[in-house]
Amino acid sequence: NAGVTQTPKFQVLKTGQSMTLQCAQDMNHNSMYWYRQDPGMGLRLIYYSASEGTTDKGEVPNGYNVSRLNKREFSLRLESAAPSQTSVYFCASSKSIPGTGIDTQYFGPGTRLTVL
Amino acid sequence: QKEVEQDPGPLSVPEGAIVSLNCTYSNSAFQYFMWYRQYSRKGPELLMYTYSSGNKEDGRFTAQVDKSSKYISLFIRDSQPSDSATYLCAMRKTSYDKVIFGPGTSLSVIP
């Protein structure tokens, strides 16, 4: 049981290049998320998918697109990378804790992206 | 003003000390409160959660919510070097709403 996996772990891009960050979970969770984490800013939600076939914008969606390929996989695409997109990107999936109304979010190890 | 604020630290304490980590928030509609722990170069993991006001204890950890003051705390008793991490508070208005994370407080427990 690998949990949430992300590839690649590190990436350096030049301004204008495109790339896709891959995420997969093997916990049979319906909901999946993409966050970015910047110093002093905390985790900010880029996009999320409440279930297979649906995606919705989060707090900072500009410059990104997502695909919920199936229940396991949720990818994040940067079409034309900009230096402002230099960040650590985390994918997460979640399940509800029965009777609490609280989701437990399980995070992947992150992708460290630098855009020059 | 950010919705959720935390002192970024770094906070450095000796082993065995009691640690107090705090968050303030501006939106009184938040009802669900969580603490995540993030080790260096790892993803966050859920540590504790509470609903509405009150205290919740789990081993050496106690989470406290004061909704009247819009203030939540995480206390760590008998702190250990393995507690060295960044602690993120998180909250949401309803069980279906998005989670808002604080920026995190970096904690170092010195042996």
Side-chain angles (χ1 to χ4, degrees):
Chain A
N1 196 343
V4 179
T5 57
Q6 291 182 237
T7 56
K9 287 187 167 50
F10 301 93
Q11 185 71 50
V12 179
L13 293 177
K14 293 180 180 176
T15 296
Q17 287 185 316
S18 62
M19 79 161 295
T20 299
L21 281 64
Q22 306 286 354
C23 174
Q25 53 94 7
D26 61 2
M27 295 174 283
N28 202 36
H29 292 166
N30 286 322
S31 298
M32 296 186 73
Y33 310 82
W34 276 104
Y35 291 92
R36 59 179 288 174
Q37 187 174 38
D38 302 289
M41 300 294 291
L43 284 159
R44 292 182 293 169
L45 183 64
I46 305 171
Y47 271 93
Y48 67 100
S49 171
S51 61
E52 185 179 352
T54 68
T55 60
D56 286 288
K57 294 179 181 178
E59 184 184 354
V60 288
N62 291 345
Y64 306 95
N65 284 301
V66 291
S67 295
R68 184 73 183 267
L69 303 168
N70 47 55
K71 192 170 186 178
R72 290 187 64 247
E73 298 172 287
F74 189 37
S75 63
L76 178 72
R77 183 159 178 84
L78 286 70
E79 290 291 351
S80 179
S84 61
Q85 294 179 304
T86 294
S87 188
V88 181
Y89 291 85
F90 287 101
C91 176
S93 67
S94 71
K95 71 171 187 179
S96 295
I97 302 172
T100 66
I102 297 212
D103 277 6
T104 302
Q105 294 201 14
Y106 295 82
F107 286 82
T111 295
R112 281 155 183 79
L113 175 67
T114 301
V115 183
L116 301 175
Chain B
Q1 182 188 9
K2 293 179 183 175
E3 275 194 289
V4 181
E5 305 217 42
Q6 281 183 266
D7 185 333
L11 181 62
S12 185
V13 301
E15 183 175 354
I18 297 174
V19 177
S20 172
L21 303 166
N22 309 299
C23 278
T24 58
Y25 61 94
S26 57
N27 193 333
S28 58
F30 287 130
Q31 297 188 80
Y32 297 88
F33 303 93
M34 294 146 279
W35 285 95
Y36 281 78
R37 178 175 60 195
Q38 184 176 19
Y39 291 114
S40 181
R41 301 202 168 262
K42 301 286 187 185
E45 56 181 348
L46 182 66
L47 190 60
M48 294 191 71
Y49 61 87
T50 56
Y51 170 70
S52 195
S53 286
N55 292 359
K56 183 174 181 180
E57 189 173 320
D58 184 2
R60 296 185 295 109
F61 299 89
T62 299
Q64 195 171 76
V65 175
D66 182 350
K67 290 189 72 179
S68 62
S69 301
K70 299 195 192 78
Y71 189 88
I72 68 171
S73 300
L74 178 71
F75 297 96
I76 307 174
R77 290 182 299 280
D78 187 24
S79 56
Q80 303 295 309
S82 58
D83 296 327
S84 298
T86 296
Y87 290 80
L88 307 164
C89 63
M91 48 198 78
R92 68 198 311 183
K93 288 177 261 188
T94 70
S95 59
Y96 300 104
D97 203 9
K98 64 180 180 181
V99 177
I100 306 297
F101 286 87
T105 298
S106 175
L107 171 67
S108 290
V109 180
I110 311 301

